[in-house]
Amino acid sequence: MTVDAVDIDAPEPPPAGTSTKDVRRVDRVIIRFAGDSGDGMQLTGDRFTSETASFGNDLSTLPNFPAEIRAPAGTLPGVSSFQLHFADHDILTPGDAPNVLVAMNPAALKANINDLPRGAEIIVNTDEFTKRALQKVGYTASPLEDGSLDGYRLHPVPLTTLTVEALKKFDLTRKEAERSKNMFALGLLSWMYHRPTEGTEKFLKSKFAKKPDIAAANIAAFRAGWNFGETTEDFAVSYEVAPATTAFPAGTYRNISGNLALAYGLVAASQQADLPLFLGSYPITPASDILHELSRHKNFGVRTFQAEDEIAGIGAALGAAFGGSLGVTTTSGPGVALKSETIGLAVSLELPLLVIDIQRGGPSTGLPTKTEQADLLQAMYGRNGEAPVPVIAPRTPADCFDAALEAARIALTYRTPVMLLSDGYLANGSEPWRIPELDELPDLTVQFAQGPNHTKPDGTEVFWPYKRDPHTLARPWAI
């Protein structure tokens, strides 16, 4: 195979939109990056998403990865992918059928080929299509040569070879150089869709600040990928997706995932209620990121407690509510089953408590990294009959922020546990989010009971813990 010459010494790519090749305007694109778990597809997709968000497109993402216990490299169960749908108008989903597939090995191609419509573009790393790799996933002949991909626009690119060649001036082993092939692919796609490049280079310098040689190597690979797209004859056309100027109200935006939005919503709720936030949690995929994020915000009066099990996590959160905090516990389906008795206790005690369920596939241990809205009936009915609980469900990753505020409002106003049902897709997916102004947030201020609230016929003043507020029918919250 002939490898196109690449100007790897170019100081940096020209600004987006200055390509000398034909440019076609399209209104939306769905791209899927796919490879082994160690190929860096999540990082590649995340960086492409960040640049797309900064460009002003509306977007929706779907990271899809295997469990932490990885399948063997090069096998179908070990494929990790990241899908991004971006457009010049308002979009609601990460899409079903990718227009572009970047396949880093035969397993990635075979695992995703059935999702592609005819005419889609496929960029494959030909260096990985060895006889052994093909046999590992059941190919008897190379799909790059047997005509099975004739219905697609195939771009065979020796990504590994080109990356190693681009980094030969760095003091890296071949294995170390090969790790940057995802940045080469990112550079190529950034050229192909006129994505900005400054943010990615700044990110790489920051990420590898303590390893400047690695940072420089990744930036060189990224630039080489961009320049390859500009110089090779195989990519005759690049594409332009205009910013979605009519999709967004005026404001300051950022890209945000559902779990991050939930964490920020909880912090905002505690600030608006003027209550300390307490999270009692046992780590469980895909909810653990909320624990990780909230642990960074002690400056907002947030306390996080990693409990020894699910029951201890909710017990501590309910105890915090008894002491006057905004009590929160996070989990997924198996944890909800374990927490049900304490949820019933919270209903009986009439204390505000947020139970956040980031749903995943299947009962018991289930499919920890796969999405399924599996817990609705458990959330509604998974307790004794006299223990009803309100259930709030966000609709998009960004809506998780508002859902957290609404769940907190209901819990604090009516002194009840509230279940918030997110899921793995919302948790890990991302979209643009308009950062709200402080005066747009609801007032969640709570008045604690300060003393006796009832007078007996003999004139004795007493405290009745279950005396009702005439408007909300909630009992007083006494610390």
Side-chain angles (χ1 to χ4, degrees), residues 13-21 23 191 194 226 230 238 240:
T18 59
S19 174
T20 58
K21 298 186 178 182
V23 179
W191 170 84
H194 297 255
W226 199 99
E230 178 65 17
S238 63
E240 187 176 82

Side-chain angles (χ1 to χ4, degrees), residues 219-244:
I219 291 171
F222 176 68
R223 292 178 177 178
W226 199 99
N227 290 319
F228 177 77
E230 178 65 17
T231 57
T232 182
E233 296 179 3
D234 193 36
F235 292 88
V237 178
S238 63
Y239 301 90
E240 187 176 82
V241 182

Side-chain angles (χ1 to χ4, degrees), residues 13-14 33 44 47-48 51 102 123 159 163 180-197 200-201 204 218-230 235:
F33 299 92
T44 305
R47 288 314 313 160
F48 195 93
E51 297 297 357
V102 179
I123 301 171
L159 286 172
T163 303
S180 297
K181 62 181 180 288
N182 63 324
M183 288 297 105
F184 189 101
L186 178 59
L188 174 57
L189 268 293
S190 296
W191 170 84
M192 195 171 174
Y193 289 97
H194 297 255
R195 298 298 91 184
T197 59
T200 292
E201 295 195 8
L204 291 170
N218 276 282
I219 291 171
F222 176 68
R223 292 178 177 178
W226 199 99
N227 290 319
F228 177 77
E230 178 65 17
F235 292 88

Side-chain angles (χ1 to χ4, degrees), residues 108-332:
L109 177 65
K110 188 166 189 177
N112 294 284
I113 188 65
N114 290 334
D115 292 340
L116 269 63
R118 288 307 208 186
E121 297 200 61
I122 303 175
I123 301 171
V124 295
N125 180 14
T126 56
D127 289 324
E128 294 296 321
F129 279 68
T130 62
K131 184 176 180 180
R132 185 169 183 273
L134 292 167
Q135 291 175 342
K136 194 178 288 188
V137 294
Y139 280 125
T140 55
S142 173
L144 308 183
E145 300 169 356
D146 65 3
S148 60
L149 301 179
D150 287 349
Y152 306 95
R153 286 178 285 171
L154 180 65
H155 301 283
V157 181
L159 286 172
T160 307
T161 299
L162 290 171
T163 303
V164 172
E165 177 68 18
L167 302 185
K168 64 182 181 181
K169 66 180 180 180
F170 293 90
D171 187 21
L172 299 173
T173 65
R174 180 179 176 85
K175 189 173 183 179
E176 289 171 334
E178 287 179 1
R179 289 176 185 159
S180 297
K181 62 181 180 288
N182 63 324
M183 288 297 105
F184 189 101
L186 178 59
L188 174 57
L189 268 293
S190 296
W191 170 84
M192 195 171 174
Y193 289 97
H194 297 255
R195 298 298 91 184
T197 59
E198 299 83 2
T200 292
E201 295 195 8
K202 184 177 179 181
F203 167 82
L204 291 170
K205 290 175 183 176
S206 173
K207 180 178 176 63
F208 299 107
K210 296 182 179 179
K211 298 179 179 179
D213 289 346
I214 299 298
N218 276 282
I219 291 171
F222 176 68
R223 292 178 177 178
W226 199 99
N227 290 319
F228 177 77
E230 178 65 17
T231 57
T232 182
E233 296 179 3
D234 193 36
F235 292 88
V237 178
S238 63
Y239 301 90
E240 187 176 82
V241 182
T245 52
T246 61
F248 305 119
T252 302
Y253 285 80
R254 60 158 292 164
N255 187 45
I256 200 166
S257 67
N259 273 350
L260 185 58
L262 261 175
Y264 287 176
L266 293 172
V267 173
S270 75
Q271 293 293 300
Q272 293 302 104
D274 195 23
L275 296 175
L277 177 65
F278 180 92
L279 175 68
S281 179
Y282 180 75
I284 184 171
T285 302
S288 300
D289 284 342
I290 301 173
L291 170 62
H292 300 159
E293 181 60 34
L294 287 179
S295 68
R296 300 186 176 106
H297 297 292
K298 299 181 182 68
N299 55 312
F300 285 113
V302 178
R303 292 187 179 182
T304 52
F305 170 55
Q306 181 174 319
E308 66 269 28
D309 55 44
E310 295 281 4
I311 298 171
I314 190 172
L318 185 58
F322 192 82
S325 293
L326 178 58
V328 183
T329 188
T330 52
T331 189
S332 193

Side-chain angles (χ1 to χ4, degrees), residues 21-42:
K21 298 186 178 182
D22 289 341
V23 179
R24 291 180 188 169
R25 183 80 173 265
V26 293
D27 63 351
R28 67 187 187 99
V29 176
I30 302 171
I31 299 175
R32 185 179 297 176
F33 299 92
D36 266 330
S37 290
D39 284 338
M41 294 295 94
Q42 303 304 319

